[in-house]
Amino acid sequence: MKTKAVITALAALAQESRLAIFRHLVQVGPEGCAASRIGEALDIAPSSMSFHLKELVHAELISSRQEGRFVIYTANYKAMNEVIGFLTENCCGGNPCSPAATCGEAALPRA
């Protein structure tokens, strides 16, 4: 993933409602959710929802599809994993990290 795309994605997520929307869609899974249901779940006004969804679509963090009269939004898991990969690709000196890894802990002075 290119730096500019990562910056766009992180900028889109750097807002409380958009971060909540994205996290909600990740939790919902690949089947996605209608905009109205996202708004109800997160208590976001419909007038604000369209703006926030547009920003997340522009950042390619979510996508939409038409199902009848509803627009269903889904998280873009590939983009999410690419952002995470970009942020962690040099973690632990280039060595793979495990959940139990404590990068740099040995180098930190003990208090």
Side-chain angles (χ1 to χ4, degrees):
M1 183 171 238
K2 296 188 187 274
T3 302
K4 186 173 180 175
V6 172
I7 291 169
T8 301
L10 293 173
L13 294 172
Q15 198 282 336
E16 187 175 355
S17 295
R18 288 193 293 271
L19 181 59
I21 292 166
F22 182 74
R23 292 186 72 204
H24 180 75
L25 289 173
V26 168
Q27 292 170 357
V28 167
E31 66 275 2
C33 192
S36 59
R37 300 196 88 190
I38 299 167
E40 290 169 5
L42 301 175
D43 197 28
I44 300 173
S47 58
S48 296
M49 279 298 297
S50 61
F51 171 75
H52 293 308
L53 291 168
K54 177 184 67 84
E55 291 296 311
L56 291 167
V57 168
H58 173 74
E60 298 184 8
L61 289 169
I62 66 173
S63 59
S64 65
R65 69 180 186 278
Q66 193 75 37
E67 279 190 11
R69 58 187 196 124
F70 297 101
V71 178
I72 306 298
Y73 290 90
T74 56
N76 181 344
Y77 295 96
K78 182 177 184 282
M80 177 186 73
N81 288 325
E82 286 176 355
V83 169
I84 292 168
F86 180 90
L87 294 173
T88 61
E89 72 184 347
N90 295 315
C91 181
C92 297
N95 297 313
C97 293
S98 68
T102 52
C103 298
E105 186 174 287
L108 295 175
R110 303 261 182 216

